[in-house]
Amino acid sequence: MSKISFPVLAAAISISAFACSSPDNRKADLEELIGFYPQFPLDTAKHGVDSTELLMTNFAGPDIVPSPAALAVSPYGHVFVGIDMMGSLGKEPGKGAIVRLVDSNNDGELDSHTEFVKVDNPRGIMAVRDQVFVLHTQFSEETGEAEGMNLVVFEDKDKDGVADGPSKILIKSISSTESIRSRGTDHSTNGIRMGIDGWIYIAVGDFGFHNATDRDGTQLTMLGGGIVRVRPDGTEMEEYIHGTRNIYDVAIDPFMNIYTRGNTNDGGGWNIRFIHYTQSGEYGYPTLFKNFTEETIPALVDLGGGSGTGSYFMDDDRWPAKYNHVPMMADWGRSHLYIHRVAMDGPSFTQQDEEFIKLAQITDIDVDASGRMFLAAWDGAGYYGSEEKGYVVRVVPKDWTYQAIPELSSASIEVLTELLKANNSVSRFHAQQELLARFPDEAGDAALSIAKDKSLPLAARVAGIYTYAQATCANGRDELLKLAEEEKVREFALRALADRKTCLQGVPLDPFVAGVTDPNDRVKSAAIVALGRIGNPEAATELLKVKVPDSFKQPEKGTEGPHATPNSAIVLPHVAVKSLVALNAVDATVDAIGSDKSALALWALRYMHDPKAVDGLIKAYQDTDDLQLKMEILGTLSRLYKKEAPYDGSWWWGTRPDTHGPYYKAITWESSDQIKDFLLDERANFEATKRQFFADLNERNRMDIEEFGEAETNLVIQETEVDLEKIKNKKGQVGESSIEDVMIAVQDIKGDPVTGKALFTSQGCIACHSIEKGQPLKGPFMGQIGSIMNRSQITESILKPNASISQGFASVLIDTKDDKSYMGFVTAETADEVVLQDITGTATKLDKSTIKTRKVMETSMMPPGLVNSLSFEELASLITYLEQQK
């Protein structure tokens, strides 16, 4: 029987009284919210018959917008395009700018353009009022080297399309400087988008960052990728979620659901995933991604090969219902804009994906207040950018007519209030921002009238709630509490109450504690997350009541857990654990061991590196005779033996990280010796035949305790020796022709994939590339190349390997302290070791402590001429074979 100290028990009784003081007549009023996300085929009786035809027109070409990496549209249709001729791997400054495009008479044709400002690597852009927010790389004027990525804001008060002066920094150094200098921006921090809650959400790539600093001095460090958010004045920066790989942008719906199409999110291949995010969630890349998937919130689907870029949630009733109320995700690798049809599933979603608009290496998407969509296309500009490639197109539905939005800067409060009820999210958002900026004393009352109006659509009421919360901060507490009494908007009122830690004064625990048992799972999720943000440890007892589902099971040894299968049942206990950790609820979790709350308590204790937690676990072990519970406690102690080393930004885990987990760069801490001694003593008490349990704990948690046995390594060395010089010196039809002639000829020859498969081996491709899933990875994985490149791109990459080096597979030159040099590409890497494979297939494992210098080369390790001996027919066969690998 676990013991509960009197103060905690008293608090639990006090809190529970709120939820039980009267009969629980609450219900989940979800009909309107569920109906907001339409499934296809549509119910035409409900939605009407739509024309699904879209009209796409060219808006600007490479003469104006070469290498467009990002774009943003003002409510009036002014398009701000981020030109990035440095690309993802370039490192020379002075090649970027933001250009503003204007269609002054709204006839679909570009009338004028201006260079808004010169900036390097503009990866995220957002136009709000007379401000343009930009996320970009900052270079030193003295050294010419990258100093990191900053979130900044420019002003254009005279509206002439040119920034009025220098930018104001909102967040400094929100990407790893060392990684950008050595590699470029391909895994750096990327897109930005502001939600109706007034936060700017930032997509952080897996470079992560060290000591990013906002305007109020808050510092934040992130090992790996995730989403960070900050207020538009550059204050209150905080982590929103963690554990993604290389997300490029975020899509935000009217109810503050956030989605991404993660870019190469696996690390054991190049697959991408579509993810719905729950605040505070951990998504696992790379340390929990394989062997600890029970601890993560999984993605909604694995989509195979590709490269996710810009994201947008379409909410505009002037668009056909088939294309409305859906996340739209650009995929650079597949050259498509995709629709993901989401359907509510408890606190999360399920999805169905489908192709929408084909566009060559699409990079970004945005929509204005009239419903015009603008898309940017990289169009083969390569990894270093090009002056001759790239364009922007405009897309509108058939029979669409332009509807001007009022000039917001001079609109009355009555006009702005009406726009806050609009049937499109763009108008609502920009009306909100204008209300808050120009009518700070009146915006609260105007927004509250909308929030309370039950005749309005839910999206408009939610916009009213968040506008009211921003206008009133802590002073709006009482009205938000009243709104929280209504089932339909309870979720949003609770989220707004706890949304800003600077506005929490006087917020009571009671409605959030009651929310933990609400019949609506979305309310439960909002309440659980909020209790962690409020920070009152009295909430721990209620959080521990959240049930852990049967799906909370660690993967069998040697198998990879399900990290891209929807599991809505795991969301609530997951965020409950996160809130318990945020509360540092060591005492309450220890006291819950052995009770019906034990599963959640032991899960939370995995992350509590606190001597009190260790003492409590050992005592609980000694106090119980339950063998299963003892095993679980030993597992928790084993997990606590090490912890993640503090991240200082000087290293990155690379494109081939060690995914074993649970830590990437593990270190011991003050209680490690105590844990080790206890585990060794307990092992001695086990029969010899049962000591394998401790060996398995040692391997699973990477404890490296010698007495338990030597831990396995996942750094696989696979060698394939091929004489590439002999192959490339043979002359055939390809070697005797110009590249242009070869490209033309191969495009028109069908080729035989069976012959191509044989050539894949005979021409030496097998030395550096694997083709089957499950094979050890060497160079770029070819098993999905057909879903990433078209026929022409595959041909060019073979004929001109230096023109398009696959990200993650540039040659690396390593000089060691014993004056030896090694060149190849990295096939595996941990915090302490790296495996380098050279062009002959020879692999070498190096201890990182012996490395003197490590340099990424700008040329491919694949030599030109490997197909010179082939006929056009043979090369076409090889390309056809590769084209079929999807």
Side-chain angles (χ1 to χ4, degrees):
M1 179 70 69
S2 63
K3 298 178 180 178
I4 303 179
S5 62
F6 179 77
V8 174
L9 180 61
I13 293 172
S14 173
I15 292 169
S16 298
F18 175 85
C20 304
S21 59
S22 60
D24 191 350
N25 297 318
R26 296 173 297 175
K27 63 180 184 296
D29 188 351
L30 288 167
E31 182 178 358
E32 184 176 357
L33 189 59
I34 291 171
F36 180 83
Y37 304 99
Q39 299 305 290
F40 192 76
L42 296 173
D43 180 354
T44 54
K46 179 179 179 181
H47 294 283
V49 179
D50 287 314
S51 164
T52 57
E53 186 175 345
L54 301 176
L55 303 177
M56 181 188 298
T57 56
N58 291 327
F59 197 65
D63 56 324
I64 299 174
V65 289
S67 304
L71 63 74
V73 187
S74 78
Y76 313 106
H78 301 161
V79 186
F80 294 82
V81 183
I83 294 171
D84 187 9
M85 287 187 289
M86 193 186 305
S88 59
L89 297 180
K91 304 177 187 68
E92 297 179 10
K95 294 185 176 182
I98 294 176
V99 173
R100 189 184 77 158
L101 311 177
V102 177
D103 173 10
S104 56
N105 58 3
N106 301 300
D107 64 352
E109 300 289 335
L110 176 64
D111 295 321
S112 64
H113 68 276
T114 54
E115 184 175 85
F116 181 76
V117 71
K118 286 187 178 295
V119 288
D120 286 304
N121 286 135
R123 289 306 184 98
I125 310 173
M126 189 173 62
V128 182
R129 304 186 71 242
D130 54 11
Q131 296 179 313
V132 178
F133 296 84
V134 182
L135 181 72
H136 73 100
T137 305
Q138 181 68 48
F139 283 81
S140 167
E141 294 183 3
E142 290 76 22
T143 66
E145 290 190 314
E147 296 180 322
M149 298 192 82
N150 298 335
L151 176 65
V152 305
V153 61
F154 294 93
E155 291 187 336
D156 181 16
K157 290 187 177 300
D158 58 8
K159 298 181 174 61
D160 65 350
V162 178
D164 294 341
S167 65
K168 178 172 74 173
I169 295 178
L170 303 180
I171 301 179
K172 187 175 183 180
S173 300
I174 193 164
S175 189
S176 167
T177 302
E178 181 65 28
S179 297
I180 292 175
R181 286 178 178 175
S182 62
R183 183 177 174 81
T185 60
D186 64 336
H187 286 246
S188 65
T189 307
N190 296 294
I192 58 174
R193 193 172 295 278
M194 195 184 299
I196 198 67
D197 61 354
W199 291 89
I200 299 174
Y201 289 81
I202 306 168
V204 180
D206 62 305
F207 279 167
F209 54 83
H210 173 66
N211 281 351
T213 307
D214 71 6
R215 287 188 66 81
D216 59 13
T218 299
Q219 289 194 324
L220 191 63
T221 292
M222 182 179 280
L223 172 59
I227 298 173
V228 169
R229 66 179 191 172
V230 70
R231 301 307 298 178
D233 63 355
T235 63
E236 304 180 43
M237 173 179 60
E238 62 180 34
E239 180 182 298
Y240 188 75
I241 61 91
H242 177 262
T244 61
R245 191 180 189 190
N246 197 18
I247 58 174
Y248 194 89
D249 198 4
V250 296
I252 308 176
D253 76 16
F255 310 109
M256 289 311 304
N257 295 295
I258 298 179
Y259 317 85
T260 72
R261 190 178 175 96
N263 185 358
T264 60
N265 198 32
D266 193 312
W270 304 105
N271 287 13
I272 53 174
R273 288 163 177 76
F274 176 68
I275 307 173
H276 164 247
Y277 296 99
T278 299
Q279 186 175 3
S280 79
E282 169 60 53
Y283 292 81
Y285 181 84
T287 54
L288 305 179
F289 205 77
K290 185 174 182 180
N291 299 313
F292 299 85
T293 48
E294 77 276 13
E295 300 178 31
T296 69
I297 299 178
L300 299 187
V301 66
D302 185 310
L303 294 158
S307 182
T309 45
S311 304
Y312 185 77
F313 189 93
M314 175 60 76
D315 175 32
D316 192 318
D317 287 352
R318 292 163 296 192
W319 272 65
K322 180 180 178 180
Y323 303 137
N324 199 19
H325 297 172
V326 290
M328 294 180 173
M329 302 279 159
D331 194 299
W332 181 92
R334 294 188 178 188
S335 293
H336 258 99
L337 180 66
Y338 286 82
I339 282 175
H340 293 267
R341 300 194 180 280
V342 293
M344 283 179 53
D345 180 21
S348 186
F349 292 87
T350 57
Q351 73 89 50
Q352 286 183 299
D353 55 279
E354 62 188 60
E355 294 180 349
F356 180 33
I357 295 175
K358 186 173 180 61
L359 206 65
Q361 293 183 318
I362 181 173
T363 55
D364 211 356
I365 171 177
D366 207 3
V367 176
D368 75 357
S370 74
R372 289 175 291 193
M373 176 189 289
F374 293 88
L375 306 172
W378 195 248
D379 191 30
Y383 292 115
Y384 294 87
S386 168
E387 295 182 356
E388 300 175 351
K389 296 286 186 177
Y391 54 84
V392 170
V393 298
R394 188 193 80 148
V395 181
V396 294
K398 183 182 180 181
D399 299 328
W400 170 91
T401 56
Y402 174 73
Q403 295 176 350
I405 187 172
E407 176 54 54
L408 298 175
S409 61
S410 58
S412 67
I413 188 170
E414 291 79 15
V415 169
L416 295 172
T417 302
E418 281 302 308
L419 283 172
L420 198 57
K421 308 173 190 177
N423 62 357
N424 69 91
S425 59
V426 178
S427 294
R428 293 194 300 269
F429 169 75
H430 287 285
Q432 176 201 71
Q433 293 300 302
E434 200 69 35
L435 271 171
L436 293 170
R438 290 179 44 221
F439 302 99
D441 298 329
E442 301 163 83
D445 288 340
L448 185 61
S449 67
I450 295 172
K452 289 181 173 181
D453 190 344
K454 296 182 181 181
S455 69
L456 292 174
L458 184 59
R461 296 188 67 192
V462 170
I465 288 171
Y466 279 116
T467 306
Y468 178 74
Q470 292 175 71
T472 59
C473 195
N475 294 329
R477 176 193 63 216
D478 292 342
E479 291 293 346
L480 289 173
L481 287 170
K482 291 178 184 177
L483 284 165
E485 295 174 3
E486 182 188 340
E487 281 90 351
K488 182 177 285 190
V489 297
R490 180 175 294 133
E491 168 197 348
F492 313 106
L494 291 180
R495 282 190 66 167
L497 275 163
D499 196 40
R500 297 177 63 181
K501 292 182 178 180
T502 56
C503 301
L504 287 173
Q505 302 93 321
V507 172
L509 281 183
D510 290 351
F512 300 97
V513 169
V516 176
T517 59
D518 196 274
N520 181 346
D521 282 343
R522 292 179 60 89
V523 171
K524 288 177 182 175
S525 179
I528 291 168
V529 172
L531 288 172
R533 296 179 62 76
I534 293 169
N536 189 331
E538 292 181 0
T541 304
E542 294 300 313
L543 289 169
L544 282 161
K545 294 178 181 177
V546 178
K547 299 299 181 183
V548 177
D550 292 340
S551 60
F552 183 74
K553 293 179 181 178
Q554 72 182 49
E556 293 292 330
K557 186 177 180 180
T559 66
E560 185 166 326
H563 42 67
T565 303
N567 183 10
S568 62
I570 206 67
V571 172
L572 297 179
H574 181 101
V575 293
V577 164
K578 289 293 182 179
S579 288
L580 286 166
V581 174
L583 295 175
N584 193 31
V586 177
D587 292 335
T589 50
V590 166
D591 287 343
I593 298 173
S595 71
D596 60 353
K597 309 174 185 66
S598 189
L600 194 76
L602 289 172
W603 181 0
L605 283 164
R606 297 183 187 189
Y607 318 115
M608 296 181 180
H609 288 84
D610 187 309
K612 289 196 302 180
V614 175
D615 291 341
L617 284 161
I618 291 174
K619 185 176 186 305
Y621 181 91
Q622 295 167 337
D623 288 348
T624 185
D625 295 324
D626 185 329
L627 182 59
Q628 180 61 35
L629 180 59
K630 281 180 175 287
M631 299 299 99
E632 292 170 358
I633 292 172
L634 290 175
T636 306
L637 284 167
S638 300
R639 177 64 172 272
L640 290 174
Y641 177 66
K642 288 187 176 181
K643 67 178 183 178
E644 193 71 66
Y647 182 51
D648 64 4
S650 65
W651 54 272
W652 174 51
W653 49 42
T655 58
R656 298 291 188 77
D658 175 5
T659 56
H660 184 287
Y663 310 107
Y664 184 74
K665 199 168 187 176
I667 58 172
T668 55
W669 59 292
E670 61 180 289
S671 292
S672 294
D673 288 341
Q674 179 187 3
I675 295 171
K676 178 180 178 180
D677 292 343
F678 178 75
L679 293 176
L680 287 172
D681 287 345
E682 285 307 305
R683 178 179 180 273
N685 293 330
F686 275 58
E687 298 174 14
T689 57
K690 296 181 179 179
R691 292 179 181 177
Q692 181 61 37
F693 174 76
F694 290 89
D696 289 343
L697 287 180
N698 196 40
E699 193 278 331
R700 173 174 167 80
N701 293 296
R702 292 285 182 88
M703 292 190 289
D704 299 321
I705 296 177
E706 293 182 4
E707 291 86 344
F708 290 162
E710 188 173 339
E712 300 174 7
T713 178
N714 71 334
L715 291 192
V716 178
I717 294 181
Q718 175 158 327
E719 299 187 3
T720 307
E721 294 191 12
V722 177
D723 189 346
L724 297 179
E725 286 297 318
K726 183 177 180 180
I727 292 171
K728 75 177 186 178
N729 286 330
K730 291 181 179 180
K731 299 295 180 184
Q733 198 173 10
V734 172
E736 294 172 351
S737 305
S738 69
I739 288 178
E740 291 76 13
D741 287 342
V742 176
M743 292 284 290
I744 293 170
V746 169
Q747 196 69 20
D748 294 331
I749 300 173
K750 183 177 181 180
D752 175 20
V754 176
T755 301
K757 182 176 183 179
L759 288 166
F760 187 81
T761 298
S762 66
Q763 295 308 117
C765 309
I766 196 69
C768 298
H769 305 284
S770 52
I771 202 82
E772 299 290 342
K773 290 183 178 179
Q775 292 178 340
L777 289 175
K778 295 171 280 188
F781 178 58
M782 293 290 108
Q784 299 161 338
I785 191 65
S787 66
I788 298 171
M789 291 184 174
N790 60 35
R791 190 174 183 85
S792 295
Q793 292 167 334
I794 294 172
T795 307
E796 184 180 15
S797 69
I798 294 172
L799 298 173
K800 299 193 296 181
N802 289 333
S804 57
I805 303 170
S806 291
Q807 297 189 40
F809 296 100
S811 303
V812 175
L813 176 64
I814 292 179
D815 293 326
T816 55
K817 294 175 182 177
D818 59 358
D819 295 326
K820 293 181 179 179
S821 295
Y822 303 86
M823 189 167 77
F825 41 69
V826 175
T827 58
E829 185 166 3
T830 69
D832 304 309
E833 296 176 315
V834 61
V835 175
L836 205 67
Q837 182 165 311
D838 67 19
I839 193 62
T840 69
T842 302
T844 305
K845 183 187 292 185
L846 297 173
D847 188 319
K848 285 186 175 179
S849 65
T850 68
I851 294 175
K852 182 168 60 177
T853 61
R854 175 173 172 168
K855 182 180 180 181
V856 178
M857 311 299 288
E858 295 189 0
T859 56
S860 172
M861 216 168 59
M862 175 180 169
L866 290 183
V867 293
N868 280 352
S869 65
L870 302 183
S871 66
F872 288 163
E873 181 73 33
E874 288 172 322
L875 178 57
S877 296
L878 175 60
I879 293 164
T880 298
Y881 170 66
L882 293 173
E883 193 178 19
Q884 291 180 355
Q885 306 308 307
K886 297 182 180 181

